[in-house]
Amino acid sequence: MEESVLWPTTADFPNPVTADHVTYNPSLTELREYSAHLETTTEYGAPSYVSDYRSRSAAQTSTSIDDSFDDDDFDVIQRGIEWVSDPSNDVLCVDRVVGRNEDVSAVCRLFLPKEYGRIALAWAKLLEPSDGAEPDFITVQLPDATDEPCIRILPEAGLTTVLGSDYTGEAKKSFLRLFMFRAKQAGGLGLHAGSKRVTLDDEDGHRDVGQLYLGLSGTGKSTLTSHGLWLEEPEGAEMLQDDVCALLPSGTVAGSEGGGLYIKTLGLDADQQPELHRAATNESAVLENVSVDADGVVDFDEPAYGRNARAVIQRDCLESSAADIDLDRVDQVFFITRNPLMPPIAKLNEAQAAVAFMLGESVETSAGDPSRIGEPIRVVGTNPFIVGSKGEEGNRFRELIADLNVDCFVINTGAVGTTDPVDVGVEETVAILEGVARGSIDWAYDETLGLTVPTNVPGIDIGQFVVADHVENFDEMHSELRQERQAYLSQFSELDDDILTSTY
């Protein structure tokens, strides 16, 4: 576009308070009523819905910063403005606030057709009400506007238009994407991460340990973030955020969602994930693409509508949920992987941590590309929502953890090895995480891996997880992995040289 062309802004939208064709900030009960014709009521009294689109349309999403926008792209944004402004349309508008930290919090305004109140209902339960301030971010979601999804974003203007998708995740991520972009503008870094505060009362005295967990959706981020580590009072662990945070130069980790969590429910188990299961079977939950029969009986194990079944659950249903959403100080960062050539945990130096951030090694999940579930994948920062240079994100991550003296680790929550693999179970992972928090793990440098790994972890036999013992032709496979990693990193021209050349 020509520089003289004025970009749309939030000011181009009508005032929803005075516009007669706009229903502004109705109650949650009213939002549910608008989609009553689409609802199946569960045995717990919660609404359940089935959407036509059941995952994000990543390939159909473009931003004006990362992609070459032409008139057609700007027309998508303008189409959203015109739809909201047309008095013949039955428009629904809901305002919420993302975050509580004054440096990055923002008022979010969602416009969509009234009949899609279910999307607004689920989204509204994730965030907290606005005080009536003007919006910083606006999203227009029009599920019936096109046959194929088309999502266009003007990050600097705070505008998103979603055409052709009725997936709730598009509304949610449209605002969290811009929240993370705002964090970068403030000198920090937006992270697709869960945050947690662990309170210990051990030989080092009473202290809090701040932890972050970075991982793609479906790799265990929510489970680990909400896990109490089986600690007993006066010790304990509290979940502050489940999905998106902002690491600020002060060391504060600002949370984004103060109302609820958007969790994956396929395979949700009452024994392994008791808190999440209890919240998902509460009447306050909103289920999406979950198997629910005509009598309202819920089956979390049945992928009747695909493998990306979801539920919006409320924070106040989780005993592990803290009242606050901001972490005062981060001490430890964990990268979650499912790479079988990685040990259950390794301690990383600053350059290695930046490499781990850039690699974002995991496996594809149903939240990304359902056709590739289980395949190896690399996503910078395990964050599919980065706006701007990915290499600069890696540099900034390394600068922040160095300035803040943060310890970084990579943890494998899958299996170690390719021949006779050994599963890393919940008991092992919890013992490792507790050991890291307490500082009770013994470490040594492993020449074969080029990583610092534990030689002793209280409560478990860490010796059973020696990677080379469970990989045939280990040297060859490890060498290939390093070459693949170097080739992947080489595409990021802005990345600092010492990160590019780090052995990991």
Side-chain angles (χ1 to χ4, degrees):
M1 293 290 291
E2 299 289 338
E3 289 188 6
S4 59
V5 175
L6 295 177
W7 285 13
T9 71
T10 56
D12 292 323
F13 288 83
N15 185 339
V17 179
T18 58
D20 292 338
H21 67 293
V22 179
T23 302
Y24 180 59
N25 277 340
S27 68
L28 296 177
T29 299
E30 290 172 313
L31 289 175
R32 182 172 176 177
E33 289 173 353
Y34 299 154
S35 290
H37 59 294
L38 302 173
E39 176 183 324
T40 297
T41 306
T42 73
E43 57 192 302
Y44 312 108
S48 178
Y49 308 99
V50 177
S51 60
D52 291 330
Y53 283 85
R54 295 163 192 170
S55 62
R56 289 179 291 100
S57 300
Q60 291 77 37
T61 301
S62 300
T63 80
S64 60
I65 289 178
D66 297 310
D67 303 285
S68 298
F69 262 38
D70 58 22
D71 288 343
D72 290 341
D73 296 300
F74 281 91
D75 284 346
V76 173
I77 299 292
Q78 191 62 39
R79 184 171 175 179
I81 296 173
E82 292 173 355
W83 182 88
V84 173
S85 303
D86 187 342
S88 67
N89 291 324
D90 203 358
V91 179
L92 176 61
C93 176
V94 177
D95 284 358
R96 286 295 186 268
V97 177
V98 59
R100 297 177 185 170
N101 185 287
E102 62 181 11
D103 292 331
V104 288
S105 65
V107 177
C108 305
R109 177 165 290 171
L110 175 65
F111 289 105
L112 72 169
K114 193 173 182 179
E115 65 187 286
Y116 285 96
R118 65 170 178 82
I119 296 174
L121 172 66
W123 174 75
K125 287 192 168 215
L126 292 170
L127 303 179
E128 295 175 299
S130 165
D131 61 3
E134 289 300 304
D136 301 289
F137 307 147
I138 291 180
T139 293
V140 182
Q141 185 165 0
L142 305 176
D144 299 325
T146 58
D147 293 333
E148 295 292 332
C150 179
I151 297 97
R152 296 295 181 263
I153 304 132
L154 297 180
E156 292 171 321
L159 301 182
T160 302
T161 296
V162 178
L163 303 181
S165 175
D166 64 340
Y167 179 54
T168 300
E170 295 289 5
K172 168 186 161 72
K173 287 303 183 184
S174 71
F175 296 108
L176 295 185
R177 179 188 289 112
L178 296 181
F179 172 81
M180 289 190 282
F181 181 64
R182 173 172 280 206
K184 186 154 57 173
Q185 292 176 310
L189 197 61
L191 298 174
H192 185 219
S195 59
K196 181 175 191 170
R197 180 171 52 232
V198 181
T199 300
L200 300 173
D201 194 8
D202 53 21
E203 59 186 18
D204 294 324
H206 184 82
R207 58 197 176 93
D208 289 337
V209 179
Q211 297 182 335
L212 285 179
Y213 294 86
L214 279 71
L216 288 175
S217 297
T219 57
K221 176 165 55 67
S222 296
T223 300
L224 295 181
T225 303
S226 63
H227 201 290
L229 302 183
W230 297 318
L231 298 174
E232 297 181 358
E233 292 186 356
E235 298 185 326
E238 293 181 298
M239 182 274 296
L240 287 90
Q241 278 295 280
D242 164 73
D243 193 25
V244 166
C245 304
L247 176 58
L248 303 179
S250 64
T252 296
V253 180
S256 58
E257 296 173 304
L261 290 67
Y262 190 51
I263 66 169
K264 289 175 66 68
T265 59
L266 189 64
L268 189 62
D269 186 271
D271 294 326
Q272 295 294 322
Q273 301 156 292
E275 281 205 86
L276 297 180
H277 188 276
R278 187 163 50 250
T281 53
N282 186 278
E283 64 179 358
S284 63
V286 179
L287 277 57
E288 183 177 48
N289 301 321
V290 175
S291 178
V292 182
D293 70 17
D295 295 324
V297 177
V298 177
D299 186 351
F300 290 128
D301 294 322
E302 170 57 46
Y305 305 107
R307 304 191 64 82
N308 195 32
R310 294 276 183 168
V312 171
I313 61 174
Q314 298 301 277
R315 289 176 61 92
D316 56 16
C317 289
L318 300 172
E319 292 181 7
S320 64
S321 174
D324 46 339
I325 65 173
D326 293 348
L327 187 63
D328 292 337
R329 182 192 73 253
V330 59
D331 301 294
Q332 299 164 348
V333 171
F334 299 88
F335 299 97
I336 304 172
T337 186
R338 295 283 175 89
N339 190 327
L341 296 183
M342 295 299 291
I345 188 167
K347 189 174 185 178
L348 308 175
N349 61 35
E350 291 168 4
Q352 288 175 328
V355 171
F357 177 89
M358 292 301 300
L359 291 173
E361 288 182 337
S362 190
V363 294
E364 184 62 85
T365 72
S366 53
D369 186 347
S371 67
R372 298 180 55 210
I373 293 174
E375 294 183 19
I377 186 174
R378 292 189 174 111
V379 179
V380 174
T382 63
N383 182 4
F385 314 102
I386 291 173
V387 175
S389 166
K390 294 179 173 63
E392 290 177 1
E393 295 250 336
N395 296 337
R396 182 167 296 183
F397 177 79
R398 195 269 301 273
E399 292 167 2
L400 287 168
I401 63 171
D403 291 345
L404 299 171
N405 195 28
V406 177
D407 292 327
C408 294
F409 308 84
V410 58
I411 55 174
N412 181 356
T413 59
V416 172
T418 57
T419 54
D420 188 27
V422 182
D423 288 334
V424 184
V426 175
E427 290 187 10
E428 287 82 9
T429 298
V430 169
I432 288 168
L433 295 177
E434 181 184 350
V436 171
R438 292 190 189 279
S440 59
I441 294 178
D442 296 326
W443 302 90
Y445 184 74
D446 186 325
E447 295 282 352
T448 61
L449 291 174
L451 295 170
T452 299
V453 300
T455 57
N456 179 63
V457 177
I460 64 170
D461 175 17
I462 197 65
Q464 65 180 310
F465 296 107
V466 177
V467 179
D469 292 349
H470 300 281
V471 179
E472 189 176 355
N473 301 323
F474 169 80
D475 290 339
E476 179 182 347
M477 291 189 68
H478 190 246
S479 176
E480 289 178 357
L481 177 63
R482 281 193 166 179
Q483 291 174 20
E484 290 173 4
R485 287 170 168 172
Q486 288 295 321
Y488 178 81
L489 292 174
S490 66
Q491 68 182 293
F492 303 106
S493 58
E494 303 93 342
L495 200 59
D496 289 344
D497 288 342
D498 60 333
I499 299 175
L500 282 168
T501 58
S502 174
T503 56
Y504 176 78

